[in-house]
Amino acid sequence: MRIIEAEDVQRVLDFPAVIEALRKAFGSPAGTPPRTMYKLDKDPASSDVFALLPSWTEEAIGVKAFTYLPSNAAKGRKILYSKVLLFDRETGEPLALVDGTFVTYWRTAAVGALAADYLARKDARRLVVCGTGNLAPYMTLAHASVRPITDVGIWGRTPGKAAQTIERIREKRPDLNCTVVTDLAAAVGEADIVSVATASKTPVVLGAWVKKGTHTDFFGNHERHVQECDSDLVAKSRLYADSRDNVMNEAGEILIPISEGLIPANPIIGDLADLCSGRVKGRGSDDETTLFKSVGTPLSDLATAQLVAKRVSK
């Protein structure tokens, strides 16, 4: 069994390839049971979790295991540790153990871009990214690989971190006009795509800011009682998800407005399997406001780790 570290993941991946691997995986038959999240602390204020994400296709079986301990940040340690274990579907033989942290960055951003390829306007040029964590440059580069993005605004609670994020983006795409966002409401109001991945416990993006025709996506929250956007935005948007089951089990962005009576009990029009298989059509007109919610899917981990293993073995 091969052990594949982070350096190899970074060396062999590119967004067009990852996005197409995900499109194929989500558009084909697959086993994708709901992921299992285990809270590690009885304190309701704690977000420390251990998670298992299994899935399988006709070619491979995979399981990602990760720990997410936000409390590590204050101790100077990494918040996230992750590994993906791959098995041959026919024989059951273990094939590879792949660094899951960077697989997660790549597949998360590619999931957002794959959804945007179905849901964002074809002429989308202005992108606003909310969040300055490790994921932010990946989200920018992924979206810019599926739409003709020319202008990127990066917003974070610390402007200095936003500037650092821009430097990382410029290393890969110096052609993009990247600026630090200081007035988030104004920037969102001018955006064609708004991509949000923060640790905020309260809404970052408000529906009143978002113009008709905008596509938004939300990746940072995995809790039932938390929202990265307000209920108004959800109520005025056509709703899509990476995994219908997982989102309806975990995402406060959808569950809270349901409890408030603002949207139906089954509000999600389609998930990635629906979009990629053609069972559900994506954007229907330039005036539609679309919202994509992701909490993570094991199939995206499997497809990305498979791509890594195949490219490393060449």
Side-chain angles (χ1 to χ4, degrees):
M1 181 179 71
R2 184 157 194 169
I3 297 177
I4 301 174
E5 301 292 354
E7 294 79 8
D8 283 327
V9 175
Q10 296 292 75
R11 177 175 58 84
V12 302
L13 290 184
D14 61 82
F15 277 115
V18 178
I19 291 166
E20 290 311 309
L22 295 183
R23 197 190 309 272
K24 178 182 177 182
F26 281 104
S28 304
T32 55
R35 70 181 188 172
T36 304
M37 305 282 288
Y38 301 96
K39 287 187 69 69
L40 299 176
D41 196 321
K42 293 182 180 180
D43 181 357
S46 173
S47 297
D48 291 0
V49 298
F50 171 64
L52 292 172
L53 291 77
S55 63
W56 54 91
T57 65
E58 294 179 351
E59 295 182 11
I61 304 165
V63 59
K64 183 172 84 169
F66 73 82
T67 56
Y68 176 70
L69 278 67
S71 55
N72 274 353
K75 306 169 187 175
R77 300 172 182 166
K78 292 182 180 179
I79 293 175
L80 178 72
Y81 291 93
S82 177
K83 295 292 182 182
V84 182
L85 182 59
L86 296 177
F87 302 84
D88 184 270
R89 174 64 182 84
E90 182 178 355
T91 66
E93 177 186 1
L95 298 175
L97 182 67
V98 185
D99 174 82
T101 301
F102 283 93
V103 162
T104 299
Y105 296 151
W106 281 91
R107 67 81 159 154
T108 302
V111 160
L114 177 61
D117 201 27
Y118 292 100
L119 301 175
R121 296 197 323 271
K122 296 295 184 184
D123 63 350
R125 296 183 181 278
R126 294 178 179 270
L127 169 68
V128 169
V129 175
C130 299
T132 56
N134 289 322
L135 189 57
Y138 292 86
M139 299 298 291
T140 302
L141 297 170
H143 278 299
S145 73
V146 297
R147 287 297 182 268
I149 302 297
T150 56
D151 297 284
V152 179
I154 303 295
W155 176 86
R157 299 192 188 280
T158 305
K161 290 184 178 180
Q164 292 172 4
T165 298
I166 288 174
E167 290 304 311
R168 293 176 61 191
I169 295 167
R170 285 175 175 160
E171 291 175 2
K172 301 292 185 180
R173 289 290 303 269
D175 57 306
L176 295 176
N177 177 33
C178 298
T179 57
V180 174
V181 170
T182 55
D183 186 338
L184 183 57
V188 168
E190 297 176 353
D192 301 312
I193 301 174
V194 180
S195 187
V196 184
T198 71
S200 178
K201 300 294 185 181
T202 57
V204 174
V205 174
L206 305 184
W209 303 345
V210 178
K211 66 183 179 181
K212 286 185 178 180
T214 302
H215 172 63
T216 63
D217 62 44
F218 297 88
F219 284 82
N221 171 50
H222 303 82
E223 299 182 56
R224 297 172 65 91
H225 63 284
V226 173
Q227 295 170 286
E228 278 191 299
C229 65
D230 66 358
S231 296
D232 177 51
L233 177 59
V234 177
K236 70 189 243 183
S237 300
R238 290 173 61 82
L239 306 179
Y240 300 84
D242 57 349
S243 163
R244 189 188 304 266
D245 290 341
N246 288 347
V247 164
M248 291 299 293
N249 186 52
E250 298 179 28
E253 288 83 2
I254 308 300
L255 298 175
I256 291 174
I258 290 175
S259 70
E260 295 170 337
L262 297 177
I263 59 175
N266 296 296
I268 296 173
I269 295 169
D271 59 16
L272 283 180
D274 295 320
L275 291 167
C276 294
S277 66
R279 292 191 297 268
V280 169
K281 183 182 177 182
R283 172 175 289 271
S285 74
D286 285 349
D287 290 334
E288 289 180 357
T289 303
T290 53
L291 186 152
F292 176 75
K293 175 58 188 175
S294 172
V295 295
T297 66
L299 185 59
S300 61
D301 295 303
L302 172 58
T304 306
Q306 264 191 285
L307 179 62
V308 170
K310 288 177 180 178
R311 288 190 162 187
V312 167
S313 63
K314 288 184 179 180

